[in-house]
DNA sequence: TAGATTGTTAATCGATTAACAATC
DNA sequence: TAGATTGTTAATCGATTAACAATC
């Protein structure tokens, strides 16, 4: 326990969201041995959420067993997942919540200070600004873009709406890492082309259409709301079929 | 080819979105043998999108091989996936696009006529109404609900905003199948409790928090936007690490 | 030291792919 | 009939779980 307090001291002053440049090397190191499977990556944000909650509750430590029963997964899976990125725990003790959360944040680029623009200041684009989603993950929204002169020049929750014509100019000046696309599907290929040519690191695609072009080093993450709705529909139908069967 | 035209005739008059009650039995039958894995279910909406596109292009038939190369998956996977629900193809011919699309729509409950309410007419709730997302999947939005008197009584794209107090009354009168939750996390447990007690078939949860209670027969589908953003962050970091390595 | 719990290897399970007989 | 392509079985691959030695 005493020993572990020392361990804990090592991270006491660490700012979870801010990352100083000295640490960057270590962080890159964590990410570099990345032959981590997609299955693992998809589970990481859920660890983030549970650890954040434990931290809010003031929990200092947790074992894989207890976390497993909270999350309804196996302890084995948790230990395997975490060990893809290093040994964050301590035998006989478990995991220090504060330290583990900090590590998960690092891995997930929370507080990496990525800068994002949202393309189309339509209701969805504006809703995304207002949810506080980006803020909570340490992503800065540095601008909204639109072609609609009714919106250009206005201000949404402190974020300026720029003319889409000025996208290239803006991105080159402002080190934009991420573009969030809420625009109509018809405009997707053109804008995606421009963003990829600009060398943007990531595209968060809400259009529901797929980006079908050479991506270079640009990462695309899709939000397919329609797909999710259909999966819900499917499961409802499936459940209704089961109920019907039972009522025979 | 002639033979297959006969096959095609069989579905020519079928209304893809509307489903008559005679067909309902067959539809339930498809869904009943549902020991279909989650991996398969998650892929179905993508088939929906590709088939819809082929239909728009006027394609009559497609082989698993061609569809596979369009979708960047194996032909084997497509045939396995579709065969979870029945033999929709024909040896030597392939799949009739119109027929297969109709089947996928049935499976995914597109046009099952599910009725949905959205709880909180906040910007996200209103954005979801305006995207046309529900309409395109044959889901009817029958009401918005809010506690904010500024919004109660107003009309969003033809959908009325009701007082959340009247939720029970409304749902019992109006056969509500799905509740879409865009409300703040703090209000989730209370509202989810009410919906589950009402016996709502599905909850489409945008809050980012998990619903931690006995669900009964209610299906929950989560949209974790924050998780998706962190996955994008992760992959960007990972990509940057690879680039750094190369530039040594 | 003894107890607890990790990190990691080995065993199991499930999902994907390949192959091919059935058949249009 | 011959060619094409499915439906389905068998082989492979990867992910999950179980087990346990390492160690705090």
């Amino acid at each position: 326990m005493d020993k572990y307090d020392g361990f804990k001291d090592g991270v006491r002053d660490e700012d979870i969201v801010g990352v100083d440049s000295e640490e960057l090397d270590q962080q890159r190191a964590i990410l570099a041995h990345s032959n981590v499977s997609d299955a693992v990556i998809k589970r990481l944000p859920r660890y983030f959420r549970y650890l954040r909650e434990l931290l809010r509750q003031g929990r200092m430590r947790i074992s894989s067993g207890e976390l497993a029963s909270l999350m309804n997964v196996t302890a084995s899976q948790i230990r395997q997942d975490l060990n893809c990125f290093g040994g964050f725990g301590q035998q006989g003790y478990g995991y220090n919540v504060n330290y583990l959360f900090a590590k998960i944040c690092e891995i997930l680029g929370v507080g990496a200070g990525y800068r994002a623009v949202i393309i189309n200041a339509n209701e969805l684009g504006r809703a995304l600004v207002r949810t506080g989603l980006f803020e909570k993950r340490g992503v800065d929204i540095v601008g909204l873009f639109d072609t609609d002169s009714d919106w250009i020049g206005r201000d949404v929750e402190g974020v300026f709406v720029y003319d889409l014509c000025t996208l290239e100019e803006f991105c080159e000046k402002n080190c934009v890492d991420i573009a969030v696309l809420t625009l109509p599907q018809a405009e997707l290929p053109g804008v995606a082309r421009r963003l990829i040519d600009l060398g943007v690191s990531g595209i968060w695609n809400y259009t529901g259409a797929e980006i079908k072009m050479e991506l270079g080093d640009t990462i695309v993450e899709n939000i397919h709301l329609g797909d999710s709705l259909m999966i819900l529909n499917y499961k409802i139908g499936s459940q209704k079929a089961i109920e019907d069967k039972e009522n025979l």
Side-chain angles (χ1 to χ4, degrees), chain A:
Chain A
M1 195 63 136
D2 271 358
K3 266 184 200 165
Y4 214 88
D5 281 339
F7 190 154
K8 200 192 69 200
D9 281 344
V11 296
R12 184 190 284 158
D13 296 325
E14 187 164 295
D15 176 8
I16 289 160
V17 172
V19 177
D20 63 36
S21 55
E22 270 177 26
E23 247 177 274
L24 220 99
D25 290 340
Q26 194 203 338
Q27 206 180 120
R28 289 280 154 81
I30 287 176
L31 295 173
H33 62 66
S34 279
N35 38 355
V36 179
S37 79
D38 236 60
V40 173
I41 296 167
K42 281 196 205 120
R43 282 193 292 267
L44 295 175
R46 192 153 181 261
Y47 295 130
F48 169 89
R49 287 188 275 116
Y50 274 80
L51 289 165
R52 185 182 55 182
E53 180 56 26
L54 287 166
L55 208 56
R56 278 177 189 156
Q57 290 170 9
R59 285 290 303 269
M60 297 304 289
R61 55 174 275 195
I62 190 140
S63 69
S64 60
E66 194 189 348
L67 187 56
S69 78
L70 282 173
M71 295 181 70
N72 266 101
V73 295
T74 62
S76 228
Q77 184 168 76
I78 291 176
R79 295 203 299 277
Q80 288 271 27
D81 285 354
L82 298 179
N83 269 87
C84 292
F85 302 96
F88 300 144
Q90 204 168 65
Q91 278 104 328
Y93 177 92
Y95 298 88
N96 176 292
V97 174
N98 191 29
Y99 179 73
L100 182 56
F101 180 66
K103 284 296 170 191
I104 297 282
C105 284
E106 267 183 38
I107 293 163
L108 289 174
V110 173
Y114 292 136
R115 295 156 66 83
V117 296
I118 299 178
I119 300 180
N120 270 210
N122 51 16
E123 202 147 30
L124 181 55
R126 280 156 14 224
L128 291 177
V129 177
R130 294 233 169 87
T131 51
L133 202 69
F134 295 92
E135 232 183 322
K136 283 179 205 151
R137 274 82 185 175
V139 174
D140 293 327
I141 305 179
V142 294
L144 282 154
F145 285 83
D146 210 308
T147 50
D148 180 353
S149 56
D150 282 358
W151 279 96
I152 295 166
R154 284 169 76 171
D155 173 298
V156 176
E157 203 94 341
V159 182
F160 193 81
V161 182
Y162 298 91
D163 190 325
L164 186 57
C165 296
T166 66
L167 180 69
E168 279 77 7
E169 191 191 340
F170 183 92
C171 287
E172 271 153 19
K173 267 195 204 141
N174 291 278
C175 307
V176 171
D177 302 291
I178 296 171
V180 185
L181 303 186
T182 61
L183 41 75
Q185 291 193 358
E187 294 166 28
L188 177 63
V191 172
R193 177 76 278 146
R194 290 166 68 186
L195 291 164
I196 292 166
D197 289 347
L198 274 164
V200 157
S201 299
I203 293 178
W204 202 20
N205 175 24
Y206 278 76
T207 64
E210 293 180 16
I211 298 174
K212 291 179 165 280
M213 56 188 74
E214 193 51 60
L215 298 175
D217 290 336
T218 302
I219 309 292
V220 174
E221 173 77 13
N222 295 304
I223 295 277
H224 283 300
L225 298 181
D227 288 14
S228 174
L229 178 57
M230 289 190 285
I231 288 167
L232 178 60
N233 279 353
Y234 170 87
K235 288 181 179 170
I236 290 173
S238 201
Q239 176 63 34
K240 280 190 199 286
I242 291 166
E243 284 165 23
D244 287 359
K245 237 181 184 173
E246 280 169 0
N247 294 339
L248 274 185

